[in-house]
Amino acid sequence: MSKVEEFEELRPLLFSIAYRILGSVSEAEDAVQETWLRFDGSATRPTSARAFLSAVVTRISIDVLRSARVRRESYVGPWFPEPLLSDPYEDPARSVELADSVSMAALLLLERLTPLERAVFLMREVFAFGFDDIAEAVGRSEAACRQLLVRARAHMEAGRPRFEADRRERQQLATRFFDALKDGDVDGLRDLLATDVRLVGDGGGKAPQLARALMGADKVARVMGGFFPWLIRIDVTFEPHEINGQPGAIFRDRDGKVIQIVALDVLDGRVQTIRVVLNPDKLGHVGPVGDAWAVDRELKQARRRG
């Protein structure tokens, strides 16, 4: 097998590692590309390409994350990961761990960890690497990695998200949610929302968004049920799509350009959290990005006209 073939076979795994560390599709793709350059430039072939390449992409991602965390300190409003439409890596033996770890709730929880804790936790708990490979990847002893894992687990356990196990039930609830949203059915929405549901948006100061998070089934239902039918009137469309392994939808303007992505957390037969990603910098990998400000102006004009 050539170097190229060997690398391409492992690319899905490398991207999945990098994305979970970074929470960014574009940065994960860059990390994978840099991994290829280092692999291609190496004069020797490693005994295990999987272990070698995983270590390289992990080290690169840790370095990128350290600088990214500084930038996130000055981020305008809530920060969400870049939406992931599908995880390219599949492992039937780790399907539950892979699905849980890619959700927005889990990625936000991982933000509590240091870059090293995050890398060790993901490599061990999600991808089941041995401590020898993890130690090589993060440049620490195996004993130190075990301690990092203990600390990471302690941080993660208290807030670890749980989601609806039955995918069909979860998708059925999401279908009912988006149907009620389209129809402006406030009562129907309220019935699908958890009592303490949260609606929060990430515009990064580059798109119109809520001034602050909304909480409570009645308030969220009234706001969303009163707002989204007007989007339909100005030819905004949406297509249900799995987002980070959970139900969601992609919203497009009349030209088919992406203006926002909505992701739902579903638990116990109710929507627990609604996250709206509007920052155009986080939508480009999904497709051409529309002008959310222009849509907002048109929406306001339509509502004034009645």
Side-chain angles (χ1 to χ4, degrees):
M1 184 182 293
S2 69
K3 265 191 172 183
V4 172
E5 292 170 332
E6 201 165 26
F7 184 84
E8 289 302 321
E9 187 175 274
L10 290 165
R11 181 186 288 273
L13 169 63
L14 303 179
F15 174 85
S16 291
I17 293 172
Y19 176 77
R20 284 167 172 80
I21 293 175
L22 295 167
S24 166
V25 173
S26 54
E27 289 177 345
E29 289 173 341
D30 289 345
V32 172
Q33 181 60 25
E34 177 62 25
T35 300
W36 160 250
L37 294 175
R38 296 188 188 184
F39 184 49
D40 187 45
S42 174
T44 59
R45 295 286 287 270
T47 303
S48 168
R50 183 179 187 273
F52 174 81
L53 292 171
S54 298
V56 172
V57 81
T58 297
R59 286 194 292 269
I60 292 170
S61 298
I62 289 172
D63 289 342
V64 173
L65 180 60
R66 284 174 173 145
S67 61
R69 286 166 76 94
V70 174
R71 295 195 303 273
R72 290 171 194 172
E73 289 175 1
S74 59
Y75 193 82
V76 178
W79 177 92
F80 295 159
E82 286 186 12
L84 184 68
L85 301 190
S86 62
D87 187 358
Y89 179 66
E90 296 181 1
D91 179 355
R94 310 291 298 174
S95 58
V96 174
E97 292 85 351
L98 289 168
D100 285 351
S101 65
V102 82
S103 71
M104 283 202 177
L107 292 173
L108 289 169
L109 192 58
L110 284 167
E111 288 289 304
R112 301 180 185 182
L113 308 183
T114 68
L116 281 179
E117 288 171 346
R118 187 165 180 163
V120 169
F121 180 84
L122 289 168
M123 292 191 76
R124 182 63 179 175
E125 298 290 283
V126 178
F127 297 100
F129 280 91
F131 280 103
D132 53 343
D133 290 332
I134 297 172
E136 174 65 22
V138 303
R140 296 291 189 274
S141 67
E142 291 188 32
C145 288
R146 292 179 187 277
Q147 287 302 310
L148 285 166
L149 180 61
V150 169
R151 291 203 297 269
R153 281 175 174 165
H155 284 299
M156 294 291 289
E157 281 301 325
R160 181 173 293 201
R162 298 180 298 112
F163 299 111
E164 207 70 61
D166 190 312
R167 173 171 288 192
R168 177 178 295 180
E169 290 182 8
R170 189 177 63 194
Q171 292 300 336
Q172 287 174 346
L173 185 144
T175 297
R176 291 166 57 202
F177 173 86
F178 286 111
D179 284 345
L181 194 62
K182 179 177 62 178
D183 296 337
D185 181 358
V186 175
D187 291 336
L189 284 170
R190 189 186 296 111
D191 290 343
L192 300 172
L193 301 176
T195 303
D196 57 350
V197 64
R198 293 176 67 246
L199 168 64
V200 60
D202 173 358
K206 299 182 179 183
Q209 67 181 79
L210 293 168
R212 60 183 180 274
L214 294 181
M215 295 190 67
D218 187 63
K219 183 180 293 186
V220 171
R222 284 189 287 106
V223 168
M224 296 193 77
F227 177 77
F228 277 87
W230 287 98
L231 287 178
I232 304 301
R233 291 193 191 188
I234 62 171
D235 299 324
V236 169
T237 60
F238 67 88
E239 58 193 73
H241 201 292
E242 192 169 87
I243 307 295
N244 288 75
Q246 300 298 313
I250 302 169
F251 285 70
R252 302 180 187 271
D253 64 18
R254 61 166 51 93
D255 296 320
K257 294 181 178 180
V258 181
I259 54 170
Q260 67 182 27
I261 284 180
V262 174
L264 310 177
D265 287 350
V266 176
L267 176 66
D268 297 331
R270 293 289 186 272
V271 176
Q272 305 286 326
T273 307
I274 304 165
R275 295 186 178 87
V276 186
V277 181
L278 305 107
N279 187 339
D281 295 343
K282 297 184 177 183
L283 301 175
H285 62 285
V286 179
V289 178
D291 185 345
W293 291 109
V295 171
D296 186 59
R297 288 192 296 271
E298 185 177 357
L299 179 64
K300 289 176 180 176
Q301 290 172 2
R303 298 185 78 170
R304 281 197 295 267
R305 292 194 301 266

